[in-house]
Amino acid sequence: MMELIDLTACQAAERIRRREISPVELVEALLARIEAVEPIVQAWETVDREGALAAARKAEHSAGQSGTGPLHGVPLTAKDIFFTAGMRTTSGSPLFEDFVPDFDATSISGLRAAGAILMGKAVTVQFAHHDPPRTRNPWNRERTPGGSSSGSAATVAARMVPAALGTQTGGSVLRPASYCGVVGLKPTYGRVSRYGVTPNSWSLDNVGIIARSVEDTALLLQAVAGPDPRDVTASSVPTGSYLEAARRNGRAPRLGFVLDYLDRANPDVAANSREVAARLERMGAEIRDVHLPRPMEELTALRSLIATVELASVHAATFDANPDKYGPALRESVEVGRLIPAAAYIQAQRLRRRWRPEVESMLEGVDCLLMPTVNNTAPGPNTTGSSAFQAVWSVFGLPSITIPSGLSEERLPFGTQLVAPAFQEETLLSAAAWCEAALEPMPAPEVR
Amino acid sequence: MRLDRPKEQIEQELLVQARDTWGAERVEALRHIIGDAAGWISLIGRYKLGIHEEEPDYLVAPEPNREAR
């Protein structure tokens, strides 16, 4: 029998709605889980025990009544760069150790409006960059969970919450999700408001979702997607029926297998990717080989250059007054970001615009692109891994998702990445759900 | 700085700027990322883009919420 901590967000929402379980017992079970494994995983910045229980008691009274939201009574967490009214938001920095915002990020408001309960805040790499965090991978405590949404991925994988919000500038949702053996969704740039989220890079940041099923990412996306008058970059393109798309059980997808990734992946990752493609094809998917229109190094150079310059700009005022409060990798990026000439930044942005149609043309005749999520399985704790495999899609604003696709000989998760055209999250989620059903389910890690 | 040059030349120029901006003691810490940045600049700097080739909307989000302005 499934334990309460193993419930996905969709399962929890349904059982709460039917009054088969109480939000209070679910929160209590998760709090007990946190107490048991958090000393090992170290994924939480703040656990709001009393707030979560109070919200659960309130949700218990109205569970099952008409008018309650799709996430009624479901406990979640968010990366600690999402502003949460009345709850500490550190952005992973000693500069904001005691900072308590007086407003919610728009996406947090969306989750609360849908009835979700915020259990607390998950560890973020400092300012969502890449200095290694204290969080450990639930599959192996000697390995990184990835970053920068380290705590978001680890809390979900370790069954401390069913789902979490993260953010991605290069690969900071999909990579930790892949390393931790869970699902990570990065929507189209502009699909979800970034108001109230500490920025890393203005023209690259995305709000993303980490969960243990494709269906769950769709459920949360439904609650947070849409325009926002407080965020001019939040798109007014109509939102879709994401949960319906994830549950559609439609036709087998047509997938473009991006071969350039295999040459750059570790041998075990490349082998897993080929096995996944072969399995999906046996199950009915149409697989065709495709190539990047340009060397991956050129495409990722755009992202790296733009991100480094924008990061330096974000920290222009704070850094000069407090350089010693910045982690080494972050400090280096800010300092070098200031040296990169404006002409190079503008060149990168122009090429970004010019190359986008070339990259989008890879999707002609297929539903999604298919490739490994990361070049490796989780490395040691002194790194958060490489964003190269995810960053290509980040720089062009395309939606992407990772689903777990097996375990290595060292029992570390592999991840498979799918990419869809801009604003076609329904296509992405439908294909991802189909692929998820075609692959072996991922077991839970033994946290020890 | 001219962008259409080999990585090594760009790197040397960035190292000089790093010394002037952040001091000699920071240059060693920054050397590896300066190498990376020089590589990025050199990779994209070789592309010649005409001044009439596209509208300068690259700094605007793909679908700006114009009615919010």
Side-chain angles (χ1 to χ4, degrees):
Chain A
M1 183 170 156
M2 185 179 274
E3 290 194 40
L4 288 175
I5 63 169
D6 292 313
L7 292 174
T8 65
C10 285
Q11 290 167 342
E14 182 60 19
R15 295 196 192 181
I16 288 169
R17 189 186 65 77
R18 288 195 205 146
R19 300 187 75 89
E20 291 173 7
I21 63 170
S22 154
V24 176
E25 64 180 316
L26 179 54
V27 166
E28 286 176 342
L30 293 174
L31 287 171
R33 178 67 175 173
I34 290 169
E35 195 173 323
V37 302
E38 174 61 5
I40 299 168
V41 183
Q42 302 178 69
W44 292 88
E45 192 62 57
T46 300
V47 178
D48 184 15
R49 180 185 181 89
E50 295 312 315
L53 285 169
R57 283 188 283 269
K58 193 172 168 192
E60 189 176 54
H61 289 303
S62 50
Q65 294 176 11
S66 66
T68 53
L71 284 163
H72 187 82
V74 177
L76 303 173
T77 189
K79 185 175 183 178
D80 203 24
I81 58 171
F82 286 81
F83 278 32
T84 43
M87 193 184 297
R88 203 167 67 105
T89 300
T90 68
S91 298
S93 169
L95 294 169
F96 297 99
E97 182 72 26
D98 300 312
F99 172 62
V100 179
D102 59 5
F103 67 93
D104 280 338
T106 299
S107 47
I108 296 290
S109 299
L111 293 180
R112 292 200 210 261
I117 293 171
L118 201 59
M119 294 279 290
K121 306 298 285 299
V123 166
T124 175
V125 171
Q126 190 181 91
F127 288 120
H129 198 52
H130 56 75
D131 285 288
R134 65 179 183 275
T135 306
R136 295 307 167 102
N137 192 311
W139 289 88
N140 184 324
R141 66 198 298 176
E142 301 306 318
R143 301 300 178 108
T144 181
S148 58
S149 305
S150 314
S152 299
T155 52
V156 171
R159 271 71 178 154
M160 293 193 268
V161 280
L165 290 187
T167 63
Q168 176 159 317
T169 303
S172 295
V173 166
L174 268 69
R175 186 166 76 259
S178 180
Y179 282 166
C180 291
V182 291
V183 179
L185 170 69
K186 184 205 78 69
T188 308
Y189 178 87
R191 180 69 290 175
V192 181
S193 168
R194 298 166 314 161
Y195 178 76
V197 183
T198 304
N200 180 282
S201 170
W202 289 298
S203 73
L204 289 164
D205 289 346
N206 295 266
V207 169
I209 296 157
I210 295 175
R212 293 195 296 273
S213 69
V214 173
E215 183 185 55
D216 273 9
T217 64
L219 178 65
L220 267 71
L221 181 62
Q222 206 76 68
V224 299
D228 181 6
R230 293 168 297 184
D231 178 4
V232 71
T233 70
S235 178
S236 53
V237 167
T239 57
S241 300
Y242 305 124
L243 190 57
E244 188 183 313
R247 290 175 171 172
R248 191 172 293 151
N249 197 24
R251 62 163 174 79
R254 300 165 302 165
L255 302 172
F257 191 29
V258 187
L259 298 181
D260 312 73
Y261 277 65
L262 302 183
D263 298 332
R264 292 167 171 81
N266 286 8
D268 60 344
V269 171
N272 175 260
S273 199
R274 290 192 182 93
E275 284 164 21
V276 166
R279 184 182 177 107
L280 296 178
E281 192 167 43
R282 285 197 302 274
M283 303 290 279
E286 180 187 323
I287 308 285
R288 64 177 77 160
D289 294 342
V290 299
H291 287 276
L292 293 171
R294 292 177 180 276
M296 185 186 287
E297 291 70 29
E298 287 190 0
L299 301 175
T300 56
L302 293 185
R303 208 273 330 171
S304 298
L305 195 154
I306 291 168
T308 304
V309 171
E310 291 187 0
L311 177 80
S313 177
V314 166
H315 292 278
T318 328
F319 180 77
D320 285 341
N322 307 279
D324 296 335
K325 296 279 194 316
Y326 278 63
L330 179 59
R331 178 173 178 171
E332 288 162 14
S333 292
V334 171
E335 289 173 341
V336 172
R338 292 234 200 133
L339 303 179
I340 294 175
Y345 174 81
I346 292 174
Q347 174 88 348
Q349 290 282 29
R350 292 184 73 191
L351 287 172
R352 182 186 188 185
R353 190 189 187 285
R354 173 175 291 210
W355 290 349
R356 183 170 163 153
E358 293 180 14
V359 170
E360 289 177 327
S361 72
M362 295 173 69
L363 284 150
E364 286 169 9
V366 297
D367 298 307
C368 296
L369 301 175
L370 173 76
M371 71 221 77
T373 305
V374 202
N375 61 312
N376 57 4
T377 53
N382 295 327
T383 175
T384 63
S386 167
S387 65
F389 277 26
Q390 314 95 50
V392 172
W393 320 110
S394 299
V395 72
F396 297 106
L398 301 182
S400 55
I401 193 167
T402 183
I403 56 174
S405 55
L407 292 171
S408 72
E409 286 182 2
E410 296 174 289
R411 283 191 69 79
L412 293 169
F414 292 117
T416 290
Q417 182 174 204
L418 297 170
V419 178
F423 296 106
Q424 292 195 27
E425 279 80 2
E426 289 166 298
T427 299
L428 182 68
L429 291 163
S430 182
W434 188 96
C435 293
E436 180 186 54
L439 299 175
E440 292 291 328
M442 180 64 100
E446 292 176 31
V447 182
R448 54 194 163 89
Chain B
M1 175 188 287
R2 269 186 55 205
L3 306 182
D4 56 339
R5 285 182 297 159
K7 174 192 168 184
E8 294 71 26
Q9 290 182 17
I10 297 175
E11 189 171 0
Q12 286 309 309
E13 195 166 326
L14 287 175
L15 285 168
V16 170
Q17 289 181 21
R19 195 170 299 119
D20 291 344
T21 306
W22 301 116
E25 67 278 4
R26 285 297 296 162
V27 170
E28 283 317 302
L30 297 177
R31 192 175 286 275
H32 72 103
I33 189 173
I34 283 175
D36 290 344
W40 308 331
I41 295 169
S42 180
L43 267 176
I44 67 168
R46 56 191 168 173
Y47 290 97
K48 304 282 185 227
L49 301 179
I51 60 172
H52 298 292
E53 304 244 356
E54 66 270 321
E55 293 177 13
D57 67 345
Y58 43 76
L59 292 177
V60 179
E63 292 286 341
N65 196 2
R66 295 184 189 278
E67 57 267 26
R69 298 188 186 184

